[in-house]
Amino acid sequence: MRGRGRAWDAITALVRSAQAGRSGVVLIEGEAGTGKSLLLASAARTAAELGLSTAAGGVGEFGEAAPLEPLLSAFAGLAAAGDAGPGGRPGRRLRIVGELLAELERRGGEGPVLVSVDDLQRADPATLAAVHTLTRTLVSCPVVWLLARRTTGGVIGAGRLFDLLERDGATRITLDPFDDATVREVVIDILGAVPDPDLLALAAETGGNPGLLTELLTGLRDEETVQVVDGRARLVTPRIPRRIRADIRHRLGQVSPGTRHLLSVGAVIGRSFCLEDTAAVLGTTPAALLPQLDEAFAEGLLVAAPEELAFRNGLLWQVVTDAVPAPIRRALHRQIGDLLMERGGSAVPAAAAHLVQGVRAGDPRALAALDRAVAEVLLDSPRAAAALAAHALRLTDPTDPAWPTRTVTAVRALSMAGRLQEALDLVGSALMTPLPGETSVRLRCLRSAILPLTGRTGEAATEASTLLALPGLSGELRDEAELVLLNAQAGMGDDRGARAHAERIVSAAQCHGDALLTGALITLALSEWGSGRLTDGLRLAREAVRHAMSADARRLHPQMILAMLLIDVLRIEEARAVMESAGEEAETAGHLAWAAAPAVLRARMHLAAGRFHAAAAEAEAGLAITSPLGPHVLTSHLLSVLATATLRAGDLRAARSYAEGERPPLCHCGSPYADARLLLARAQVTVASEGAAAAAETIGRLCDDLATRRWTLISEPTAAPWLVRTVLALGDRARARAVVATMDRLAGDHPAFAGVGVTAAHARGLLDR
């Protein structure tokens, strides 16, 4: 427990000083509830057990402290505090200080004395002055002082006293909040059970304040909102205990109305909030709010974070928020959302969160504002757009003329935010209701585009073909369906059909938008690549990058495709430059379903450079993105990198788990390029763990596919030598010769790619021994 160990060490040293006939002062400070009072009480008991005379004083809980009350409360029999009250003569107060001095000198003459005074933040100026005088006057007596104050509340005078005493040589200890590990220990100690994550998260909302944490856990137990079963403590409901709510409401009742207004608006903005935003909502300026801020800081309600203001702990914030009536809270959310939307940029996600909570059903003006917000943020902040669009649709009656348009918008936003299954479910439910003809077609087009991202490429192809057969399909919708069909053909391995389709599109380029043309060029580039025509593949990929002018075209990630091909032929620096030129757009291009693509490429670059642990870490980061999306084409890429990297790093167990697909579900209808890499990785892991015979069938398939598809040899520079070595070990010299012949042709056709020539020479060297 940070601070408490040091505090006890200082107190122990203080007692020893008294026993040795010396004076001393220890200062203990901390925010409310940090346990300073318990520490003082424990110190007094220990000192008494060691033979010290003790005197403990403090300030009463309620009312204003009377002059000299904290000191007089420690010495029964001396003058009453009232005698030194405001109506008394100053000389009377000086006489009382003299009596205190004489009493301490008398006790000090009989033996060591410990004087402890708590809650000096509430002490009157006369008490603070007397403490300073007495500690300086009694330096030759065995009288030691243990003084405590809270760092919130009326702290200026007490803080000045502590500064002076520290300058005179006093030891000053600040009781810091508990860290996470200590919070967990306290939960276990009080409840006698290990907390579940929800209970631990609620306990963390105390901000590590020991007193508040104890009150929370005791309240949860007393109100039976926490359940202990088999040594595990489970939070039944996250409701804050009544005693804590009552205490916080009492504290709020002690501040001025202006400060309460400031806190209410700030709480609706968030746990932490910008002063400028709060001032704007209140219709004032930050400077005008300084008196209220001073009061909020003094009462320990707010703290200053590096960039914003923040509530001292999460429980306080929650109680303040709940105290704002729901209609007022909704209106404030609306006002705050509009304010942040006007600001734009990085404020948009926060604006979306407020608007979602600030719009009511049946409010056409507010819903129209949500529509505008979705349109503004869809490309730059798809998650925020999805939240807004889905909420706007929930608040729209199905009989409302705007319902079909909002449904289409919500499906598009959900898919771009990576919430693919939600988007598909929404399409399914919408198509079961009567819809205008074009709305139905648009929804089906969107569904056909989403299906391949979830591994259902065959269904996507069927849907797209059906749509293309519809009479009177508009040019925009026809392009969308054509692109889905084209990608589905390529994804299912129909290279001949996909290539013919792409060539038809390119030949009629003037009839299509740039998204479809970009998709056709990418398809042709990958077809050339898979056939072993590397120069033509790179040329077409670069042409796709040049044609991708619109946002829809950029969402096809032509730059990522180009970078992928460059990595295959070990042009790593050029690949890195292509990725850098894409900038932030490379991370999403407006579609979070592809947000893991840069991680795939970075992992492969690390792998090519022999940085296996870095490659695995980057691929794991990619999996964290794709996992919530379900089966996904990028999963194959990531698993192949992980299996290869961990195998080369010597971790065979991890390599097997990745190769066998024990992580996120594998997309079985993904890119043949990705599947070839994963198939090779699986074969290599199997050979390493079980021997070549166990992988004979897979290895045979890899070799036989080389006749028409050369993905394996091109995408992995070590593939050809490994295949030759392995099939020779299986006694299959014919397949070894076929692999070498294929590599020789690739090298002969592409003398500019040095890596291809090196790989071919390596493979032939193994064949010829």
Side-chain angles (χ1 to χ4, degrees):
M1 298 184 221
R2 289 185 302 166
R4 285 149 190 83
R6 289 191 301 113
W8 196 251
D9 289 343
I11 292 169
T12 302
L14 186 70
V15 171
R16 288 175 182 162
S17 293
Q19 290 174 319
R22 298 190 301 270
S23 63
V25 180
V26 169
L27 310 171
I28 304 293
E29 60 185 1
E31 65 177 80
T34 46
K36 59 182 179 56
S37 298
L38 293 174
L39 192 62
L40 265 62
S42 180
R45 285 195 303 271
T46 301
E49 291 169 359
L50 294 173
L52 275 71
S53 170
T54 62
V59 181
E61 182 64 26
F62 300 104
E64 188 174 324
L68 299 175
E69 175 190 344
L71 287 172
L72 289 170
S73 64
F75 298 95
L78 293 183
D83 292 341
R89 296 186 299 275
R92 179 64 173 154
R93 299 184 195 178
L94 290 175
R95 191 174 68 78
I96 293 173
V97 174
E99 291 178 9
L100 289 169
L101 178 60
E103 174 68 10
L104 285 170
E105 287 176 333
R106 183 188 66 78
R107 288 198 189 187
E110 297 173 356
V113 181
L114 171 69
V115 182
S116 63
V117 185
D118 197 4
D119 286 325
L120 281 170
Q121 79 283 349
R122 301 179 62 231
D124 63 290
T127 297
L128 300 177
V131 168
H132 189 224
T133 299
L134 292 171
T135 55
R136 300 186 76 177
T137 303
L138 294 167
V139 290
S140 60
C141 292
V143 177
V144 292
W145 298 77
L146 184 56
L147 308 174
R149 72 168 186 132
R150 199 176 71 194
T151 51
T152 55
V155 299
I156 297 176
R160 186 175 299 121
L161 171 64
F162 273 41
D163 291 340
L164 291 172
L165 293 175
E166 185 179 27
R167 193 178 307 157
D168 290 342
T171 301
R172 189 170 186 168
I173 303 293
T174 299
L175 298 179
D176 296 323
F178 286 163
D179 58 21
D180 291 342
T182 305
V183 167
R184 187 174 186 275
E185 290 173 12
V186 172
V187 176
I188 294 172
D189 184 56
I190 292 178
L191 298 180
V194 177
D196 72 356
D198 289 340
L199 176 56
L200 203 55
L202 181 60
E205 291 298 324
T206 63
N209 183 308
L212 185 58
L213 176 60
T214 302
E215 283 292 297
L216 171 69
L217 297 172
T218 305
L220 291 173
R221 185 180 58 196
D222 293 348
E223 295 178 19
E224 299 181 346
T225 54
V226 65
Q227 187 178 69
V228 177
V229 178
D230 297 329
R232 305 286 300 187
R234 182 178 68 86
L235 190 64
V236 178
T237 172
R239 185 175 66 244
I240 298 173
R242 287 187 292 273
R243 66 182 69 181
I244 292 180
R245 288 184 175 274
D247 178 66
I248 292 175
R249 284 196 292 267
H250 172 74
R251 292 175 62 191
L252 292 173
Q254 303 305 303
V255 301
S256 67
T259 300
R260 286 198 298 275
H261 295 160
L262 166 69
L263 294 170
S264 296
V265 171
V268 174
I269 293 175
R271 167 76 181 273
S272 61
F273 56 93
C274 176
L275 179 58
E276 289 86 346
D277 294 342
T278 309
V281 173
L282 289 169
T284 185
T285 64
L289 293 175
L290 289 180
Q292 290 88 346
L293 289 171
D294 285 343
E295 186 177 19
F297 287 135
E299 292 303 319
L301 301 171
L302 294 179
V303 294
E307 300 294 334
E308 297 182 310
L309 304 178
F311 284 86
R312 183 165 289 277
N313 59 68
L315 302 185
L316 172 62
W317 169 62
Q318 189 61 59
V319 172
V320 175
T321 304
D322 293 344
V324 181
I328 298 175
R329 194 161 61 239
R330 185 165 50 244
L332 287 173
H333 278 302
R334 173 72 186 280
Q335 184 180 357
I336 296 163
D338 290 341
L339 173 72
L340 296 177
M341 279 300 300
E342 289 179 9
R343 186 173 303 162
S346 60
V348 167
H354 285 291
L355 288 173
V356 162
Q357 298 179 73
V359 177
R360 291 180 298 170
D363 184 343
R365 182 170 169 272
L367 288 170
L370 278 185
D371 293 339
R372 290 193 300 274
V374 172
E376 287 180 23
V377 305
L378 185 58
L379 293 180
D380 296 327
S381 303
R383 286 193 180 95
L388 287 171
H391 191 64
L393 184 62
R394 282 194 295 271
L395 298 178
T396 304
D397 190 277
T399 61
D400 190 318
W403 190 83
T405 302
R406 288 195 182 119
T407 301
V408 172
T409 300
V411 170
R412 179 173 285 110
L414 287 168
S415 68
M416 291 175 65
R419 296 162 61 176
L420 305 179
Q421 192 55 53
E422 289 179 66
L424 291 174
D425 292 344
L426 180 54
V427 172
S429 62
L431 290 177
M432 294 176 66
T433 63
L435 290 169
E438 184 165 325
T439 299
S440 175
V441 173
R442 285 189 179 280
L443 288 173
R444 291 174 62 188
C445 272
L446 286 169
R447 179 171 64 184
S448 69
I450 297 168
L451 286 170
L453 300 176
T454 64
R456 296 155 67 181
T457 312
E459 292 180 52
T462 300
E463 181 77 277
S465 298
T466 303
L467 288 169
L468 289 169
L470 294 175
L473 195 65
S474 69
E476 175 196 353
L477 294 176
R478 179 168 292 279
D479 270 11
E480 290 182 21
E482 291 262 26
L483 183 58
V484 170
L485 180 58
L486 178 64
N487 289 334
Q489 289 171 320
M492 292 186 297
D494 180 11
D495 183 62
R496 180 175 298 178
R499 185 180 183 89
H501 191 177
E503 287 173 342
R504 287 197 299 273
I505 292 168
V506 172
S507 66
Q510 69 279 3
C511 301
H512 303 293
D514 68 335
L516 181 57
L517 181 58
T518 300
L521 290 169
I522 290 173
T523 299
L524 291 173
L526 294 176
S527 176
E528 294 291 291
W529 203 255
S531 300
R533 293 183 285 272
L534 307 184
T535 303
D536 289 339
L538 284 177
R539 175 183 55 79
L540 287 163
R542 290 190 173 103
E543 192 174 344
V545 171
R546 288 194 297 272
H547 274 86
M549 302 300 294
S550 69
D552 286 338
R554 292 194 298 273
R555 277 198 290 274
L556 299 176
H557 292 277
Q559 289 172 300
M560 296 296 99
I561 299 295
L562 175 58
M564 178 184 76
L565 303 186
L566 290 167
I567 293 169
D568 281 354
V569 291
L570 301 181
R571 293 186 175 180
I572 305 299
E573 291 307 315
E574 188 178 352
R576 186 175 288 111
V578 169
M579 291 180 64
E580 288 175 357
S581 70
E584 293 183 2
E585 187 177 277
E587 299 295 331
T588 63
H591 206 308
L592 296 184
W594 293 105
V600 171
L601 298 178
R602 288 191 295 265
R604 288 198 56 206
M605 286 192 282
H606 285 308
L607 189 61
R611 296 187 291 269
F612 305 132
H613 294 295
E618 195 72 66
E620 281 283 9
L623 278 184
I625 298 172
T626 62
S627 294
L629 305 178
H632 195 283
V633 64
L634 293 180
T635 305
S636 299
H637 285 283
L638 293 162
L639 289 175
S640 69
V641 171
L642 280 164
T644 303
T646 50
L647 176 63
R648 293 180 185 175
D651 189 348
L652 186 56
R653 178 180 297 182
R656 288 187 64 173
S657 72
Y658 291 122
E660 292 167 5
E662 293 177 4
R663 300 301 292 257
L666 176 63
C667 173
H668 296 289
C669 299
S671 158
Y673 174 94
D675 291 345
R677 287 183 54 81
L678 184 55
L679 193 64
L680 174 65
R682 284 176 167 168
Q684 291 177 332
V685 171
T686 301
V687 170
S689 57
E690 303 176 45
E697 183 178 347
T698 302
I699 293 166
R701 176 183 162 189
L702 285 167
C703 292
D704 295 344
D705 284 349
L706 298 178
T708 55
R709 309 292 297 195
R710 294 174 173 78
W711 296 118
T712 305
L713 298 183
I714 297 168
S715 66
E716 176 49 62
T718 67
W722 183 84
L723 284 171
V724 170
R725 185 184 297 110
T726 307
V727 295
L728 285 176
L730 291 170
D732 192 344
R733 192 169 180 81
R735 278 193 169 120
R737 284 197 297 269
V739 172
V740 171
T742 302
M743 277 308 306
D744 282 343
R745 284 195 295 275
L746 279 172
D749 292 342
H750 304 92
F753 299 102
V756 177
V758 171
T759 300
H762 187 184
R764 178 159 292 284
L766 290 168
L767 176 66
D768 296 341
R769 300 191 185 279

